[in-house]
Amino acid sequence: MSSRRSFHSPEVFVCEASAGSGKTYALAERYVRLILYLSRNAQRPPVYSILAITFTNKAAVEMKERIIRFLKELALGVMNHEEEARMIDGLELEPLEVRVLARRIIDEILRGYNYFQVQTIDRFINTLLVTS
């Protein structure tokens, strides 16, 4: 098993890198780690409390797809062992707990998809201006 390092929340996580270097993958992985962490002791997974922002609509759609795919693979127990170990490292969760949490999170995302906030910078700023 990999070395345990604690996971901290709340935080602001910025991922800067060149095109094609894996930013969307890294942000989707970070989103899953964060939602698992926040869901450990919550009655309902707090999907509404996480905002992921990216530059393009394509990246936002891709990130949502990856988040759901990661959660699905965790829930079904079919994720690559190394990837799963990296995803849950420091969360103090057992694999069975991860499967149960991942299922609950997927249900919550599907129940309130409009609260699944992965959007572009433009859309986020526009939302702020409209609601002000």
Short mmCIF file of all heavy atoms in Angstrom, two decimals, residues 7-73:
data_model
loop_
_atom_site.label_atom_id
_atom_site.label_comp_id
_atom_site.label_asym_id
_atom_site.label_seq_id
_atom_site.Cartn_x
_atom_site.Cartn_y
_atom_site.Cartn_z
N PHE A 7 -5.27 14.25 3.90
CA PHE A 7 -5.98 15.01 2.88
C PHE A 7 -6.63 16.19 3.58
O PHE A 7 -7.27 16.02 4.61
CB PHE A 7 -7.04 14.13 2.22
CG PHE A 7 -7.71 14.76 1.05
CD1 PHE A 7 -7.11 14.73 -0.19
CD2 PHE A 7 -8.93 15.38 1.18
CE1 PHE A 7 -7.72 15.32 -1.28
CE2 PHE A 7 -9.55 15.97 0.10
CZ PHE A 7 -8.94 15.93 -1.14
N HIS A 8 -6.47 17.38 3.05
CA HIS A 8 -6.99 18.58 3.71
C HIS A 8 -8.12 19.21 2.91
O HIS A 8 -8.07 19.28 1.69
CB HIS A 8 -5.87 19.61 3.89
CG HIS A 8 -4.73 19.10 4.70
ND1 HIS A 8 -4.80 18.94 6.05
CD2 HIS A 8 -3.49 18.69 4.34
CE1 HIS A 8 -3.65 18.45 6.50
NE2 HIS A 8 -2.84 18.29 5.47
N SER A 9 -9.11 19.70 3.64
CA SER A 9 -10.22 20.42 3.04
C SER A 9 -10.74 21.39 4.10
O SER A 9 -10.72 21.06 5.27
CB SER A 9 -11.33 19.45 2.65
OG SER A 9 -12.46 20.15 2.22
N PRO A 10 -11.18 22.56 3.77
CA PRO A 10 -11.30 23.14 2.43
C PRO A 10 -9.96 23.62 1.90
O PRO A 10 -9.03 23.84 2.67
CB PRO A 10 -12.25 24.31 2.65
CG PRO A 10 -12.03 24.71 4.06
CD PRO A 10 -11.68 23.45 4.80
N GLU A 11 -9.92 23.77 0.61
CA GLU A 11 -8.71 24.26 -0.03
C GLU A 11 -9.04 24.80 -1.41
O GLU A 11 -10.09 24.51 -1.97
CB GLU A 11 -7.67 23.15 -0.16
CG GLU A 11 -8.03 22.10 -1.18
CD GLU A 11 -6.94 21.07 -1.40
OE1 GLU A 11 -5.85 21.19 -0.83
OE2 GLU A 11 -7.19 20.13 -2.15
N VAL A 12 -8.12 25.56 -1.93
CA VAL A 12 -8.19 25.99 -3.32
C VAL A 12 -7.06 25.25 -4.02
O VAL A 12 -5.91 25.28 -3.57
CB VAL A 12 -7.99 27.52 -3.45
CG1 VAL A 12 -7.89 27.91 -4.91
CG2 VAL A 12 -9.11 28.26 -2.76
N PHE A 13 -7.41 24.55 -5.09
CA PHE A 13 -6.42 23.75 -5.81
C PHE A 13 -6.33 24.30 -7.22
O PHE A 13 -7.32 24.36 -7.94
CB PHE A 13 -6.86 22.28 -5.84
CG PHE A 13 -5.94 21.37 -6.59
CD1 PHE A 13 -4.71 21.03 -6.07
CD2 PHE A 13 -6.32 20.86 -7.81
CE1 PHE A 13 -3.87 20.18 -6.76
CE2 PHE A 13 -5.48 20.01 -8.51
CZ PHE A 13 -4.25 19.67 -7.98
N VAL A 14 -5.14 24.74 -7.61
CA VAL A 14 -4.92 25.28 -8.94
C VAL A 14 -3.96 24.34 -9.67
O VAL A 14 -2.93 23.96 -9.13
CB VAL A 14 -4.31 26.71 -8.88
CG1 VAL A 14 -4.02 27.22 -10.27
CG2 VAL A 14 -5.23 27.64 -8.12
N CYS A 15 -4.33 23.99 -10.89
CA CYS A 15 -3.51 23.09 -11.69
C CYS A 15 -3.14 23.84 -12.97
O CYS A 15 -3.97 24.09 -13.82
CB CYS A 15 -4.31 21.83 -12.02
SG CYS A 15 -3.41 20.61 -12.99
N GLU A 16 -1.86 24.22 -13.09
CA GLU A 16 -1.38 24.93 -14.27
C GLU A 16 -0.44 24.03 -15.04
O GLU A 16 0.50 23.48 -14.47
CB GLU A 16 -0.62 26.19 -13.86
CG GLU A 16 -1.49 27.26 -13.26
CD GLU A 16 -0.68 28.50 -12.95
OE1 GLU A 16 -0.15 29.12 -13.91
OE2 GLU A 16 -0.55 28.82 -11.77
N ALA A 17 -0.69 23.87 -16.33
CA ALA A 17 0.17 23.03 -17.17
C ALA A 17 -0.18 23.30 -18.63
O ALA A 17 -1.21 23.89 -18.93
CB ALA A 17 -0.01 21.57 -16.83
N SER A 18 0.68 22.84 -19.50
CA SER A 18 0.45 23.06 -20.93
C SER A 18 -0.62 22.12 -21.47
O SER A 18 -1.00 21.15 -20.81
CB SER A 18 1.77 22.86 -21.70
OG SER A 18 2.23 21.53 -21.50
N ALA A 19 -1.08 22.41 -22.68
CA ALA A 19 -2.11 21.61 -23.33
C ALA A 19 -1.67 20.15 -23.46
O ALA A 19 -0.52 19.87 -23.78
CB ALA A 19 -2.43 22.18 -24.71
N GLY A 20 -2.60 19.24 -23.18
CA GLY A 20 -2.32 17.82 -23.34
C GLY A 20 -1.49 17.19 -22.24
O GLY A 20 -1.03 16.06 -22.37
N SER A 21 -1.30 17.90 -21.13
CA SER A 21 -0.42 17.38 -20.08
C SER A 21 -1.17 16.65 -18.97
O SER A 21 -0.55 16.16 -18.04
CB SER A 21 0.41 18.52 -19.48
OG SER A 21 -0.46 19.47 -18.91
N GLY A 22 -2.50 16.58 -19.05
CA GLY A 22 -3.26 15.83 -18.06
C GLY A 22 -3.96 16.66 -17.00
O GLY A 22 -4.30 16.15 -15.94
N LYS A 23 -4.19 17.95 -17.29
CA LYS A 23 -4.87 18.81 -16.30
C LYS A 23 -6.28 18.31 -16.00
O LYS A 23 -6.67 18.23 -14.83
CB LYS A 23 -4.97 20.25 -16.82
CG LYS A 23 -3.68 21.00 -16.90
CD LYS A 23 -3.90 22.42 -17.38
CE LYS A 23 -4.49 22.53 -18.75
NZ LYS A 23 -3.69 22.04 -19.86
N THR A 24 -7.03 17.97 -17.04
CA THR A 24 -8.41 17.53 -16.85
C THR A 24 -8.44 16.26 -16.02
O THR A 24 -9.25 16.12 -15.10
CB THR A 24 -9.10 17.33 -18.20
OG1 THR A 24 -9.03 18.54 -18.94
CG2 THR A 24 -10.56 16.94 -18.03
N TYR A 25 -7.55 15.35 -16.30
CA TYR A 25 -7.45 14.10 -15.53
C TYR A 25 -7.12 14.41 -14.07
O TYR A 25 -7.78 13.90 -13.16
CB TYR A 25 -6.37 13.19 -16.13
CG TYR A 25 -6.23 11.88 -15.41
CD1 TYR A 25 -6.94 10.77 -15.83
CD2 TYR A 25 -5.41 11.76 -14.29
CE1 TYR A 25 -6.82 9.55 -15.17
CE2 TYR A 25 -5.29 10.55 -13.62
CZ TYR A 25 -6.00 9.47 -14.06
OH TYR A 25 -5.89 8.27 -13.39
N ALA A 26 -6.14 15.27 -13.84
CA ALA A 26 -5.71 15.60 -12.47
C ALA A 26 -6.84 16.29 -11.71
O ALA A 26 -7.07 16.00 -10.52
CB ALA A 26 -4.48 16.49 -12.51
N LEU A 27 -7.56 17.19 -12.36
CA LEU A 27 -8.66 17.89 -11.69
C LEU A 27 -9.83 16.94 -11.40
O LEU A 27 -10.45 17.03 -10.34
CB LEU A 27 -9.13 19.08 -12.51
CG LEU A 27 -8.16 20.27 -12.54
CD1 LEU A 27 -8.60 21.29 -13.57
CD2 LEU A 27 -8.04 20.90 -11.17
N ALA A 28 -10.13 16.04 -12.33
CA ALA A 28 -11.20 15.06 -12.10
C ALA A 28 -10.84 14.14 -10.93
O ALA A 28 -11.67 13.85 -10.08
CB ALA A 28 -11.46 14.25 -13.37
N GLU A 29 -9.60 13.71 -10.90
CA GLU A 29 -9.13 12.87 -9.79
C GLU A 29 -9.23 13.62 -8.46
O GLU A 29 -9.69 13.08 -7.46
CB GLU A 29 -7.69 12.43 -10.05
CG GLU A 29 -7.14 11.50 -8.99
CD GLU A 29 -5.72 11.08 -9.28
OE1 GLU A 29 -4.80 11.86 -8.93
OE2 GLU A 29 -5.54 10.00 -9.87
N ARG A 30 -8.83 14.87 -8.48
CA ARG A 30 -8.88 15.69 -7.26
C ARG A 30 -10.33 15.90 -6.81
O ARG A 30 -10.63 15.87 -5.62
CB ARG A 30 -8.19 17.03 -7.53
CG ARG A 30 -7.99 17.85 -6.31
CD ARG A 30 -7.06 17.14 -5.37
NE ARG A 30 -6.80 17.97 -4.21
CZ ARG A 30 -5.91 17.70 -3.30
NH1 ARG A 30 -5.20 16.61 -3.39
NH2 ARG A 30 -5.74 18.49 -2.29
N TYR A 31 -11.23 16.11 -7.75
CA TYR A 31 -12.65 16.27 -7.43
C TYR A 31 -13.16 15.01 -6.72
O TYR A 31 -13.85 15.11 -5.69
CB TYR A 31 -13.46 16.53 -8.71
CG TYR A 31 -14.92 16.80 -8.45
CD1 TYR A 31 -15.41 18.10 -8.48
CD2 TYR A 31 -15.82 15.78 -8.17
CE1 TYR A 31 -16.75 18.37 -8.24
CE2 TYR A 31 -17.15 16.03 -7.93
CZ TYR A 31 -17.61 17.32 -7.96
OH TYR A 31 -18.94 17.58 -7.72
N VAL A 32 -12.84 13.85 -7.27
CA VAL A 32 -13.31 12.59 -6.67
C VAL A 32 -12.74 12.42 -5.27
O VAL A 32 -13.46 12.05 -4.34
CB VAL A 32 -12.96 11.38 -7.58
CG1 VAL A 32 -13.23 10.06 -6.87
CG2 VAL A 32 -13.76 11.47 -8.88
N ARG A 33 -11.46 12.70 -5.10
CA ARG A 33 -10.86 12.60 -3.77
C ARG A 33 -11.56 13.55 -2.79
O ARG A 33 -11.87 13.18 -1.66
CB ARG A 33 -9.36 12.94 -3.82
CG ARG A 33 -8.52 11.86 -4.48
CD ARG A 33 -7.06 12.26 -4.63
NE ARG A 33 -6.44 12.76 -3.43
CZ ARG A 33 -5.98 12.00 -2.41
NH1 ARG A 33 -6.11 10.70 -2.46
NH2 ARG A 33 -5.40 12.57 -1.36
N LEU A 34 -11.84 14.75 -3.22
CA LEU A 34 -12.48 15.74 -2.36
C LEU A 34 -13.91 15.32 -2.01
O LEU A 34 -14.31 15.38 -0.85
CB LEU A 34 -12.48 17.11 -3.03
CG LEU A 34 -13.07 18.26 -2.22
CD1 LEU A 34 -12.33 18.43 -0.89
CD2 LEU A 34 -13.00 19.55 -3.02
N ILE A 35 -14.68 14.87 -2.98
CA ILE A 35 -16.07 14.49 -2.69
C ILE A 35 -16.12 13.25 -1.80
O ILE A 35 -16.98 13.13 -0.94
CB ILE A 35 -16.92 14.34 -3.98
CG1 ILE A 35 -18.42 14.29 -3.66
CG2 ILE A 35 -16.53 13.12 -4.77
CD1 ILE A 35 -19.02 15.57 -3.23
N LEU A 36 -15.18 12.33 -1.99
CA LEU A 36 -15.11 11.16 -1.09
C LEU A 36 -14.79 11.61 0.33
O LEU A 36 -15.42 11.18 1.30
CB LEU A 36 -14.06 10.16 -1.56
CG LEU A 36 -14.41 9.31 -2.78
CD1 LEU A 36 -13.17 8.58 -3.29
CD2 LEU A 36 -15.53 8.32 -2.46
N TYR A 37 -13.82 12.51 0.44
CA TYR A 37 -13.41 13.02 1.76
C TYR A 37 -14.57 13.72 2.46
O TYR A 37 -14.85 13.47 3.64
CB TYR A 37 -12.22 13.97 1.58
CG TYR A 37 -11.77 14.62 2.86
CD1 TYR A 37 -10.94 13.93 3.74
CD2 TYR A 37 -12.16 15.91 3.19
CE1 TYR A 37 -10.51 14.52 4.92
CE2 TYR A 37 -11.74 16.51 4.36
CZ TYR A 37 -10.92 15.81 5.23
OH TYR A 37 -10.51 16.40 6.40
N LEU A 38 -15.26 14.59 1.76
CA LEU A 38 -16.36 15.35 2.34
C LEU A 38 -17.58 14.48 2.64
O LEU A 38 -18.41 14.84 3.48
CB LEU A 38 -16.75 16.51 1.43
CG LEU A 38 -15.71 17.60 1.25
CD1 LEU A 38 -16.16 18.60 0.20
CD2 LEU A 38 -15.40 18.30 2.56
N SER A 39 -17.71 13.36 1.94
CA SER A 39 -18.88 12.50 2.09
C SER A 39 -18.73 11.48 3.22
O SER A 39 -19.71 10.84 3.59
CB SER A 39 -19.15 11.75 0.79
OG SER A 39 -19.43 12.66 -0.24
N ARG A 40 -17.54 11.35 3.77
CA ARG A 40 -17.29 10.32 4.79
C ARG A 40 -18.29 10.38 5.93
O ARG A 40 -18.82 9.36 6.33
CB ARG A 40 -15.88 10.45 5.36
CG ARG A 40 -14.79 10.12 4.39
CD ARG A 40 -13.43 10.31 4.99
NE ARG A 40 -13.37 11.60 5.68
CZ ARG A 40 -12.47 11.92 6.59
NH1 ARG A 40 -11.55 11.06 6.93
NH2 ARG A 40 -12.49 13.10 7.16
N ASN A 41 -18.54 11.54 6.47
CA ASN A 41 -19.42 11.67 7.63
C ASN A 41 -20.68 12.46 7.33
O ASN A 41 -21.39 12.85 8.24
CB ASN A 41 -18.65 12.35 8.78
CG ASN A 41 -17.45 11.53 9.20
OD1 ASN A 41 -17.53 10.31 9.33
ND2 ASN A 41 -16.33 12.19 9.38
N ALA A 42 -20.95 12.68 6.07
CA ALA A 42 -22.13 13.47 5.69
C ALA A 42 -23.32 12.56 5.42
O ALA A 42 -23.15 11.44 4.93
CB ALA A 42 -21.81 14.28 4.43
N GLN A 43 -24.48 13.05 5.75
CA GLN A 43 -25.70 12.29 5.48
C GLN A 43 -25.93 12.18 3.97
O GLN A 43 -26.31 11.14 3.47
CB GLN A 43 -26.89 12.95 6.14
CG GLN A 43 -28.06 12.04 6.27
CD GLN A 43 -28.76 12.25 7.58
OE1 GLN A 43 -28.45 13.17 8.34
NE2 GLN A 43 -29.72 11.42 7.88
N ARG A 44 -25.69 13.30 3.28
CA ARG A 44 -25.79 13.34 1.81
C ARG A 44 -24.49 13.88 1.27
O ARG A 44 -23.95 14.84 1.79
CB ARG A 44 -26.92 14.27 1.37
CG ARG A 44 -28.30 13.71 1.67
CD ARG A 44 -29.38 14.67 1.27
NE ARG A 44 -29.34 14.94 -0.16
CZ ARG A 44 -30.05 15.90 -0.74
NH1 ARG A 44 -30.83 16.67 -0.03
NH2 ARG A 44 -29.98 16.08 -2.04
N PRO A 45 -23.98 13.28 0.20
CA PRO A 45 -22.74 13.82 -0.40
C PRO A 45 -22.92 15.27 -0.81
O PRO A 45 -23.89 15.61 -1.49
CB PRO A 45 -22.53 12.91 -1.62
CG PRO A 45 -23.26 11.65 -1.30
CD PRO A 45 -24.45 12.08 -0.48
N PRO A 46 -22.01 16.14 -0.40
CA PRO A 46 -22.16 17.59 -0.67
C PRO A 46 -21.69 18.00 -2.06
O PRO A 46 -20.77 18.79 -2.23
CB PRO A 46 -21.29 18.20 0.43
CG PRO A 46 -20.22 17.19 0.66
CD PRO A 46 -20.88 15.85 0.46
N VAL A 47 -22.35 17.47 -3.08
CA VAL A 47 -22.02 17.79 -4.47
C VAL A 47 -22.11 19.29 -4.70
O VAL A 47 -21.32 19.87 -5.44
CB VAL A 47 -22.95 17.01 -5.43
CG1 VAL A 47 -22.73 17.43 -6.87
CG2 VAL A 47 -22.75 15.51 -5.26
N TYR A 48 -23.05 19.94 -4.06
CA TYR A 48 -23.31 21.37 -4.23
C TYR A 48 -22.18 22.25 -3.68
O TYR A 48 -22.13 23.43 -3.96
CB TYR A 48 -24.62 21.75 -3.55
CG TYR A 48 -24.63 21.37 -2.09
CD1 TYR A 48 -24.08 22.21 -1.13
CD2 TYR A 48 -25.14 20.15 -1.68
CE1 TYR A 48 -24.05 21.84 0.21
CE2 TYR A 48 -25.13 19.78 -0.35
CZ TYR A 48 -24.58 20.63 0.59
OH TYR A 48 -24.53 20.26 1.91
N SER A 49 -21.26 21.68 -2.90
CA SER A 49 -20.25 22.52 -2.25
C SER A 49 -18.89 22.52 -2.96
O SER A 49 -17.94 23.09 -2.45
CB SER A 49 -20.06 22.07 -0.79
OG SER A 49 -19.48 20.79 -0.75
N ILE A 50 -18.82 21.88 -4.12
CA ILE A 50 -17.57 21.84 -4.87
C ILE A 50 -17.77 22.49 -6.22
O ILE A 50 -18.72 22.20 -6.93
CB ILE A 50 -17.08 20.39 -5.08
CG1 ILE A 50 -16.88 19.70 -3.74
CG2 ILE A 50 -15.78 20.38 -5.88
CD1 ILE A 50 -16.56 18.22 -3.86
N LEU A 51 -16.85 23.38 -6.57
CA LEU A 51 -16.89 24.05 -7.87
C LEU A 51 -15.57 23.76 -8.58
O LEU A 51 -14.50 24.02 -8.03
CB LEU A 51 -17.06 25.56 -7.70
CG LEU A 51 -16.88 26.41 -8.95
CD1 LEU A 51 -17.95 26.08 -10.00
CD2 LEU A 51 -16.92 27.89 -8.59
N ALA A 52 -15.65 23.20 -9.76
CA ALA A 52 -14.47 22.98 -10.59
C ALA A 52 -14.59 23.89 -11.81
O ALA A 52 -15.62 23.91 -12.47
CB ALA A 52 -14.37 21.52 -11.02
N ILE A 53 -13.54 24.65 -12.08
CA ILE A 53 -13.57 25.61 -13.19
C ILE A 53 -12.44 25.27 -14.17
O ILE A 53 -11.31 25.00 -13.77
CB ILE A 53 -13.38 27.05 -12.67
CG1 ILE A 53 -14.51 27.41 -11.71
CG2 ILE A 53 -13.33 28.03 -13.83
CD1 ILE A 53 -14.36 28.77 -11.08
N THR A 54 -12.78 25.32 -15.44
CA THR A 54 -11.80 25.08 -16.49
C THR A 54 -12.01 26.10 -17.60
O THR A 54 -12.89 26.95 -17.51
CB THR A 54 -11.91 23.62 -16.99
OG1 THR A 54 -10.82 23.34 -17.86
CG2 THR A 54 -13.22 23.36 -17.67
N PHE A 55 -11.20 26.03 -18.64
CA PHE A 55 -11.24 27.05 -19.68
C PHE A 55 -12.28 26.82 -20.77
O PHE A 55 -12.90 27.76 -21.23
CB PHE A 55 -9.86 27.19 -20.34
CG PHE A 55 -8.86 27.88 -19.45
CD1 PHE A 55 -7.91 27.14 -18.77
CD2 PHE A 55 -8.89 29.25 -19.27
CE1 PHE A 55 -6.99 27.76 -17.94
CE2 PHE A 55 -7.99 29.88 -18.43
CZ PHE A 55 -7.03 29.14 -17.77
N THR A 56 -12.45 25.58 -21.20
CA THR A 56 -13.31 25.34 -22.37
C THR A 56 -14.50 24.46 -22.02
O THR A 56 -14.46 23.68 -21.07
CB THR A 56 -12.53 24.66 -23.51
OG1 THR A 56 -12.14 23.34 -23.08
CG2 THR A 56 -11.30 25.46 -23.91
N ASN A 57 -15.56 24.58 -22.84
CA ASN A 57 -16.71 23.70 -22.67
C ASN A 57 -16.31 22.25 -22.85
O ASN A 57 -16.81 21.37 -22.14
CB ASN A 57 -17.82 24.07 -23.67
CG ASN A 57 -18.50 25.37 -23.31
OD1 ASN A 57 -18.74 25.65 -22.14
ND2 ASN A 57 -18.82 26.16 -24.31
N LYS A 58 -15.43 22.00 -23.81
CA LYS A 58 -14.97 20.63 -24.06
C LYS A 58 -14.30 20.05 -22.81
O LYS A 58 -14.56 18.91 -22.43
CB LYS A 58 -13.99 20.61 -25.24
CG LYS A 58 -13.47 19.25 -25.58
CD LYS A 58 -12.47 19.30 -26.72
CE LYS A 58 -11.86 17.94 -26.94
NZ LYS A 58 -10.74 17.98 -27.87
N ALA A 59 -13.45 20.83 -22.17
CA ALA A 59 -12.77 20.37 -20.96
C ALA A 59 -13.76 20.16 -19.82
O ALA A 59 -13.63 19.20 -19.04
CB ALA A 59 -11.68 21.35 -20.55
N ALA A 60 -14.77 21.02 -19.70
CA ALA A 60 -15.78 20.87 -18.64
C ALA A 60 -16.57 19.57 -18.83
O ALA A 60 -16.79 18.83 -17.88
CB ALA A 60 -16.71 22.08 -18.63
N VAL A 61 -16.99 19.30 -20.06
CA VAL A 61 -17.72 18.07 -20.36
C VAL A 61 -16.83 16.86 -20.09
O VAL A 61 -17.26 15.88 -19.46
CB VAL A 61 -18.24 18.07 -21.82
CG1 VAL A 61 -18.74 16.70 -22.23
CG2 VAL A 61 -19.31 19.12 -22.00
N GLU A 62 -15.59 16.92 -20.55
CA GLU A 62 -14.65 15.82 -20.34
C GLU A 62 -14.42 15.58 -18.85
O GLU A 62 -14.36 14.43 -18.40
CB GLU A 62 -13.33 16.13 -21.04
CG GLU A 62 -12.33 15.00 -20.99
CD GLU A 62 -11.03 15.35 -21.70
OE1 GLU A 62 -11.06 16.16 -22.65
OE2 GLU A 62 -9.99 14.80 -21.30
N MET A 63 -14.31 16.65 -18.09
CA MET A 63 -14.07 16.50 -16.66
C MET A 63 -15.28 15.85 -15.98
O MET A 63 -15.11 14.95 -15.14
CB MET A 63 -13.77 17.86 -16.01
CG MET A 63 -13.16 17.72 -14.63
SD MET A 63 -12.78 19.28 -13.82
CE MET A 63 -11.92 20.19 -15.07
N LYS A 64 -16.48 16.26 -16.33
CA LYS A 64 -17.68 15.64 -15.76
C LYS A 64 -17.72 14.16 -16.10
O LYS A 64 -18.03 13.32 -15.24
CB LYS A 64 -18.95 16.33 -16.28
CG LYS A 64 -19.30 17.60 -15.58
CD LYS A 64 -20.64 18.12 -16.06
CE LYS A 64 -21.10 19.27 -15.18
NZ LYS A 64 -22.45 19.71 -15.53
N GLU A 65 -17.42 13.83 -17.35
CA GLU A 65 -17.43 12.43 -17.78
C GLU A 65 -16.40 11.62 -17.00
O GLU A 65 -16.68 10.50 -16.56
CB GLU A 65 -17.15 12.32 -19.28
CG GLU A 65 -18.29 12.81 -20.14
CD GLU A 65 -17.94 12.88 -21.61
OE1 GLU A 65 -16.75 12.70 -22.00
OE2 GLU A 65 -18.86 13.15 -22.41
N ARG A 66 -15.22 12.18 -16.79
CA ARG A 66 -14.18 11.46 -16.05
C ARG A 66 -14.55 11.28 -14.58
O ARG A 66 -14.30 10.23 -14.00
CB ARG A 66 -12.84 12.18 -16.16
CG ARG A 66 -12.20 11.96 -17.49
CD ARG A 66 -10.79 12.45 -17.51
NE ARG A 66 -10.27 12.26 -18.85
CZ ARG A 66 -9.05 12.50 -19.20
NH1 ARG A 66 -8.19 12.96 -18.33
NH2 ARG A 66 -8.65 12.30 -20.44
N ILE A 67 -15.12 12.31 -13.98
CA ILE A 67 -15.53 12.21 -12.58
C ILE A 67 -16.54 11.07 -12.42
O ILE A 67 -16.40 10.22 -11.54
CB ILE A 67 -16.11 13.55 -12.08
CG1 ILE A 67 -14.99 14.59 -11.96
CG2 ILE A 67 -16.86 13.37 -10.76
CD1 ILE A 67 -15.48 16.02 -11.80
N ILE A 68 -17.54 11.05 -13.29
CA ILE A 68 -18.55 10.00 -13.22
C ILE A 68 -17.94 8.63 -13.50
O ILE A 68 -18.25 7.65 -12.81
CB ILE A 68 -19.73 10.32 -14.15
CG1 ILE A 68 -20.49 11.54 -13.60
CG2 ILE A 68 -20.66 9.13 -14.30
CD1 ILE A 68 -21.53 12.12 -14.51
N ARG A 69 -17.02 8.56 -14.47
CA ARG A 69 -16.37 7.28 -14.77
C ARG A 69 -15.54 6.80 -13.59
O ARG A 69 -15.60 5.63 -13.21
CB ARG A 69 -15.49 7.38 -16.00
CG ARG A 69 -14.86 6.04 -16.40
CD ARG A 69 -14.01 6.19 -17.62
NE ARG A 69 -13.09 7.30 -17.43
CZ ARG A 69 -11.77 7.17 -17.43
NH1 ARG A 69 -11.20 6.03 -17.64
NH2 ARG A 69 -10.99 8.22 -17.25
N PHE A 70 -14.77 7.71 -12.97
CA PHE A 70 -13.98 7.34 -11.79
C PHE A 70 -14.88 6.82 -10.68
O PHE A 70 -14.60 5.80 -10.06
CB PHE A 70 -13.18 8.53 -11.27
CG PHE A 70 -12.00 8.93 -12.10
CD1 PHE A 70 -11.49 10.22 -11.99
CD2 PHE A 70 -11.37 8.06 -12.98
CE1 PHE A 70 -10.39 10.63 -12.73
CE2 PHE A 70 -10.28 8.45 -13.74
CZ PHE A 70 -9.77 9.74 -13.61
N LEU A 71 -15.97 7.54 -10.41
CA LEU A 71 -16.89 7.12 -9.35
C LEU A 71 -17.51 5.76 -9.68
O LEU A 71 -17.66 4.90 -8.79
CB LEU A 71 -17.97 8.17 -9.12
CG LEU A 71 -17.49 9.45 -8.44
CD1 LEU A 71 -18.54 10.55 -8.56
CD2 LEU A 71 -17.12 9.19 -6.98
N LYS A 72 -17.89 5.57 -10.92
CA LYS A 72 -18.48 4.29 -11.34
C LYS A 72 -17.48 3.16 -11.16
O LYS A 72 -17.84 2.09 -10.62
CB LYS A 72 -18.92 4.40 -12.81
CG LYS A 72 -19.55 3.15 -13.36
CD LYS A 72 -19.94 3.36 -14.81
CE LYS A 72 -20.38 2.08 -15.47
NZ LYS A 72 -20.64 2.26 -16.90
N GLU A 73 -16.25 3.36 -11.58
CA GLU A 73 -15.22 2.32 -11.43
C GLU A 73 -14.96 2.02 -9.95
O GLU A 73 -14.77 0.86 -9.57
CB GLU A 73 -13.93 2.73 -12.12
CG GLU A 73 -14.03 2.71 -13.63
CD GLU A 73 -12.78 3.22 -14.33
OE1 GLU A 73 -11.82 3.64 -13.64
OE2 GLU A 73 -12.76 3.21 -15.57
#
